[in-house]
Amino acid sequence: MYLDDETLDTVDAWWRAANYLTVGQIYLMDNPLLREPLTAEQIKPRLLGHWGTSPGLNLVWAHMNRAIIARDLDALFIAGPGHGGPAMVANTWLEGAYSERYPAIGRDEAGMARLFRQFSFPGGIPSHAAPEVPGSIHEGGELGYSLMHAYGAVFDNPDLVVACVIGDGEAETGPLSASWLGNMFCDPVTDGAVLPILHLNGYKIANPTLFARIPEDDLREVMHGYGYEPFVVAGDDPVKVHHELARTLDEALDEIKRIQQAARSSKDGSRPRWPMIILRTPKGWTGPAEVDGVQVEGTFRAHQVPLPGVRENAEHRAQLEQWLRSYRPEELFDATGVPVAALAGNAPTGARRMSANPHTNGGALLRDLVLPEIDEYAADVPTPGATTAEATRFTGAWLAEVIRANPDRFRLFGPDEVASNRLTAVFDVTDRAFTGRIIPGDDHLAPSGRVIEVLSEHLCQGFLEGYLLTGRHGLLTSYEAFIHIVDSMVNQHAKWLKTTREIGWRQPLASLTYLLSSHVWRQDHNGFSHQDPGFIDHVVNKKATVVRVYLPPDTNTLLSTMDHCLRSRHYVNVIVAGKQPAPNWLSMDEAKLHCRRGLGIWDWASTAGDDEPDVVLACAGDVPTLETLAAADLLRQHLPDLKVRVVNVVDLMRLQPDTEHPHGLPDGQFDAIFTHDKPVVFAYHGYPTLIHRLTYRRNNHDNIHVRGYQEEGTTTTPFDMVMLNDLDRFHLVIDVIDRVPGLAVGAAALRQQMTDARQICRDYTRRVGEDHPWVRDWKWPAEPDRPA
Ligand SMILES: Cc1ncc(C[n+]2csc(CCOP(=O)(O)OP(=O)(O)O)c2C)c(N)n1
Ligand SMILES: [Mg+2]
């Protein structure tokens, strides 16, 4: 026997109380302390929630509390099976944090009644470990991300321990499967510790779990192979499990401490064998063993609501009452419903409560980044197009300084593409985090590295989310096409941001910013599989209050955009920018102004002057901007009387009306720029339909003609790519001729020349293997009278 009787009783009382409160939330609208026999009216008309996972979560919470008190641990709890929301709520209410955040839900009988009633009730709280729950950084609705959130939380938090409960079903997901090797990035010297607790309750919704049905030795070997020391706790006798779990938790926490002390005294960050726990207890433990003659406890049938007919069925109701009374509520709550003093013996106080750990309200800990002046990292642009640069390379140099100046609160994440995306300058000041074996010839690997590279966009995203949620800053860089892999994760994070904006005590987080490079137009090495600009479309579906999309056209606009995004709070920022040598259009001063406007007229490229233009050439994205300027140049040469206005869009959300998005341009301003009735030929980086979606309410929408990616791609030259999608300069000129009233006849010869030019350029690529010098060597003509 490991625990003394008093401690055993206290831990068990906590567990019973949390289980009681969990069941109460699922079923009861009234009579929370069972002062009278349950009646049908006291039962919720819709029985919602998930019981099955909850006793396991409550058990771990109860035992963590004992350990936190004994060791003065700085710990937080992640419920992978976030559907165990009522369990999370129960524990936070027992700790008092719930009532501190929500005074209407007091820690007494009336409060308990409200606590029960509000759960999964219209106008009440969600069923999961949602942002409303104090102490939660992980909603757990979409399964798979618990362990990566846990790792993200402990990076640069050397004293933090995250107890991360992973559902055995959740463990089957791809993202969770990838997460075990998060220990390859966790530096025992400077990072905290994750304690994974694989909750082997044996079942998912309707099936056994895979890990529950492989031999236990194999499971241990799996965990061992991932670099963990697995501790197994198994059983269905509460007393025995209490002793075993307490002993195991102590051993695991001792081991964590030993590992950290050894690493920190020797400054050796190489990967230790961290402990993890396999907890094998029945699903729906302590719930109804059988319902209507069918076994429920210990099976998948315990997943949601084990007694479905309680309101109508007196027998079920009696069974529910018996179930609730089995926790002996009269020993747990006093006559007024206040948790008894013995329970307080298992409750840490203040910030040591997992329900009130400051890391779980990261915005409150957030400190601004020290950001270097972008002017010092600017590309020199004496006149538009006079110089060329790889935009991301300049940003890389600036990011290096960001990393250097913020050694404990900024990290760069990428799926093996930091160098490929030309951000290599960061390795002048730091390394890639890596706790595995490092051999001569490896490039910039060290346990203490500030860059995390792992070929899993899921892990990059999840680590960064965990890092941001606990009050730090970061950036994710990826290929544009493959970031789609995390579509679903960004949904979940955007939901978190949307919801927490409306929760007063949740402070704003640093934004989740993507730098997507190696984009659709310049996949010279890779071709069609790597060509997909659709992540933008995905992201703009989210709440306007949360998402921002930027398409900086050149080096200095990228720097300015990046500087803006790293200062921003509580958004998802998507920046798409090229890494290939490309013309610079704006000086840094111009870039700052342009980015502040979000979209603007480029006078120097326009021929309309102060007159109303005959046509607007609009562009968004670096390659479309290049083609648009080349088209403007052709028009200037061949149709000198045509009044052309060139408009560049950096901030895509400016296109929406201000009623739809906070960045939206008011209609009057939009009309002034895009005109009421003139054709707009819009060259866009991504799928054309998005521009229509964003502008369909605008007065001149019928005249907006968008060229963009038409799902035509292959491994070919840059100009062939734009031709394949009719986004090339020649086609844009053709569009102008076709759209501007009265041009068709007079410009028929020019139209023919443009068609021929496309053919000549195409043939050249087929013959020579690169782009025609007309195109390759084209430069914006230098002009002496450029406006200051
Ligand atoms: C990615 C994802 N797929 C499917 C679901 C639907 N779902 C909700 S709970 C659940 C079973 C979870 O089983 P497990 O992780 O073992 O949790 P527990 O047994 O503790 O309830 C499933 C499939 C989900 N929430 N997320
Ligand atoms: Mg399970």
Side-chain angles (χ1 to χ4, degrees), residues 90-383:
N91 287 288
T92 61
W93 186 82
L94 281 173
E95 291 182 353
Y98 202 88
S99 305
E100 288 162 22
R101 295 298 188 195
Y102 307 102
I105 314 284
R107 271 207 311 168
D108 53 21
E109 184 174 359
M112 196 191 292
R114 289 201 194 103
L115 184 82
F116 288 0
R117 188 187 166 88
Q118 67 167 5
F119 174 77
S120 285
F121 205 76
I125 63 166
S127 57
H128 282 63
E132 287 85 347
V133 183
S136 176
I137 59 165
H138 175 84
E139 208 255 10
E142 186 166 280
L143 299 169
Y145 316 133
S146 58
L147 192 50
M148 49 182 86
H149 282 168
Y151 275 110
V154 302
F155 292 146
D156 303 316
N157 271 330
D159 299 325
L160 184 64
V161 175
V162 176
C164 179
V165 179
I166 299 154
D168 48 357
E170 179 187 18
E172 294 171 14
T173 64
L176 198 291
S177 305
S179 303
W180 297 108
L181 285 176
N183 57 21
M184 295 292 285
F185 309 98
C186 185
D187 177 358
V189 178
T190 55
D191 299 329
V194 173
L195 179 60
I197 302 168
L198 178 60
H199 186 208
L200 225 60
N201 62 16
Y203 295 92
K204 303 171 286 218
I205 296 177
N207 280 282
T209 60
L210 308 185
F211 276 153
R213 299 290 176 94
I214 64 172
E216 190 164 291
D217 282 349
D218 288 0
L219 179 57
R220 283 176 191 262
E221 281 181 37
V222 170
M223 291 302 139
H224 198 262
Y226 278 128
Y228 297 91
E229 185 62 48
F231 291 78
V232 178
V233 177
D236 58 5
D237 173 347
V239 172
K240 282 191 189 147
V241 171
H242 282 317
H243 285 296
E244 275 315 299
L245 183 54
R247 182 206 311 275
T248 302
L249 209 47
D250 278 343
E251 284 174 2
L253 292 167
D254 285 347
E255 182 59 8
I256 286 173
K257 191 161 184 197
R258 191 198 60 72
I259 287 169
Q260 290 177 334
Q261 279 175 347
R264 289 168 195 184
S265 60
S266 63
K267 305 231 175 328
D268 175 3
S270 56
R271 187 174 69 143
R273 190 169 288 284
W274 296 100
M276 64 82 61
I277 296 175
I278 297 169
L279 176 63
R280 196 190 282 271
T281 58
K283 189 150 182 168
W285 195 15
T286 73
E290 281 190 8
V291 177
D292 300 330
V294 178
Q295 193 194 338
V296 171
E297 185 188 23
T299 77
F300 61 86
R301 294 187 179 82
H303 182 68
Q304 287 189 344
V305 179
L307 290 161
V310 189
R311 210 165 143 107
E312 314 76 45
N313 180 331
E315 199 182 316
H316 281 196
R317 199 154 62 244
Q319 229 181 322
L320 170 62
E321 187 165 334
Q322 194 186 8
W323 173 16
L324 281 162
R325 289 196 192 280
S326 73
Y327 299 120
R328 307 195 298 280
E330 64 286 358
E331 294 176 15
L332 305 171
F333 309 102
D334 72 14
T336 62
V338 176
V340 297
L343 288 173
N346 201 52
T349 52
R352 286 298 191 235
R353 295 172 293 176
M354 291 192 288
S355 55
N357 188 303
H359 298 289
T360 63
N361 187 11
L365 299 179
L366 187 63
R367 286 185 300 148
D368 288 350
L369 286 174
V370 178
L371 292 178
E373 284 294 331
I374 50 175
D375 303 69
E376 289 164 32
Y377 297 83
D380 182 28
V381 188
T383 58

